[in-house]
């Protein structure tokens, strides 16, 4: 009973640059993700060997954030030749460069009742453009697309992180549900 979740995409232009958020696993840049995991901003993560990283991503819903390179314009023709030419099979036309991954957010979810949001990241060179807010809003759409959702979770930095996710996604501190739930954790590796 294998099912796959359809790919979702969001597009936005910021200061003349096109950005894409996509859940396509085929667009993910493993080196970019591992470099993000090594950064100080993602203190909770660490670089993974490629096979482990691929396994993790196959079992997650990851929203990759990409800078889309500008389209390559068709070459201008000066005049038509007197004898029609058949283009070479290897030359079909300009192929645009692949989008460059500059961020991500990852869900661990059954796509129905529970989801855990983690690894929200925008590369430092693309911060200050509200791409993080856009990414989190897209995450909100993913969460809202689960009508039988019982609970969505995330772990945030006290203060600023909690305030941000509270405002942008409507999350609250689990301690506010004192007596109903206890959020528990166990680390798998030393930070």
């Amino acid at each position: 009973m294998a099912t796959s979740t359809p790919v979702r995409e969001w597009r936005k232009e910021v200061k003349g640059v096109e950005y894409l958020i996509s859940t396509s696993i085929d667009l993910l840049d493993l080196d970019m993700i591992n470099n993000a995991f090594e950064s100080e901003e993602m203190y909770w993560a660490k670089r993974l060997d490629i096979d482990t990283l691929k396994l993790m991503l196959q079992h997650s819903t990851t929203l990759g954030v990409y800078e889309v390179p500008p389209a390559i314009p068709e070459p201008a023709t000066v005049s038509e030749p007197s004898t029609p030419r058949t283009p070479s099979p290897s030359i079909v036309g300009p192929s645009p460069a692949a989008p460059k991954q500059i961020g991500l957010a990852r869900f661990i979810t059954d796509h129905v009742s529970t989801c855990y949001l983690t690894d929200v990241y925008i590369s430092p060179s693309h911060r200050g453009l509200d791409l993080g807010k856009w990414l989190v809003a897209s995450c909100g759409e993913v969460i809202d697309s689960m009508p039988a959702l019982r609970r969505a979770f995330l772990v945030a930095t006290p203060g600023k992180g909690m305030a941000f996710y509270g405002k942008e996604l409507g999350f609250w501190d689990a301690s506010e549900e004192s007596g109903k739930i206890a959020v528990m954790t166990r680390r798998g590796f030393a930070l």
Side-chain angles (χ1 to χ4, degrees):
M1 175 190 221
T3 60
S4 65
T5 307
V7 171
R8 297 182 68 177
E9 291 189 347
W10 299 260
R11 291 184 179 267
K12 177 178 185 174
E13 186 175 308
V14 178
K15 296 185 178 182
V17 177
E18 183 181 3
Y19 291 93
L20 164 70
I21 294 176
S22 176
T23 60
S24 172
I25 195 166
D26 297 328
L27 293 175
L28 296 173
D29 179 342
L30 303 181
D31 288 332
M32 180 272 165
I33 295 169
N34 256 337
N35 288 338
F37 285 174
E38 282 188 325
S39 71
E40 289 181 20
E41 292 94 353
M42 293 184 83
Y43 61 86
W44 62 89
K46 67 177 183 175
R47 176 175 284 276
L48 299 171
D49 67 79
I50 293 300
D51 290 335
T52 302
L53 181 60
K54 285 179 182 177
L55 180 65
M56 179 189 77
L57 294 170
Q58 287 169 354
H59 292 280
S60 303
T61 295
T62 304
L63 283 72
V65 184
Y66 306 91
E67 180 179 1
V68 179
I72 301 170
E74 291 285 338
T77 57
V78 177
S79 65
E80 293 295 321
S82 56
T83 307
R85 295 185 194 162
T86 306
S88 165
S90 63
I91 303 173
V92 184
S95 60
K100 176 186 172 193
Q101 187 170 359
I102 53 103
L104 72 143
R106 190 169 65 86
F107 284 102
I108 304 164
T109 182
D110 60 11
H111 302 282
V112 177
S113 66
T114 307
C115 67
Y116 172 64
L117 175 60
T118 187
D119 300 339
V120 178
Y121 176 83
I122 297 290
S123 70
S125 62
H126 288 83
R127 294 185 188 156
L129 301 172
D130 283 337
L131 297 175
K133 280 187 178 183
W134 179 47
L135 174 59
V136 169
S138 299
C139 289
E141 289 184 32
V142 171
I143 292 168
D144 292 342
S145 72
M146 299 179 211
L149 184 68
R150 286 184 243 156
R151 192 167 295 270
F153 298 91
L154 64 79
V155 176
T157 307
K160 189 176 179 181
M162 288 177 62
F164 174 76
Y165 289 107
K167 179 181 175 192
E168 300 299 323
L169 291 175
F171 279 63
W172 60 82
D173 188 339
S175 67
E176 293 177 23
E177 295 184 61
S178 180
K180 290 185 178 183
I181 65 167
V183 176
M184 302 171 70
T185 187
R186 175 183 166 183
R187 285 194 180 147
F189 59 89
L191 296 176

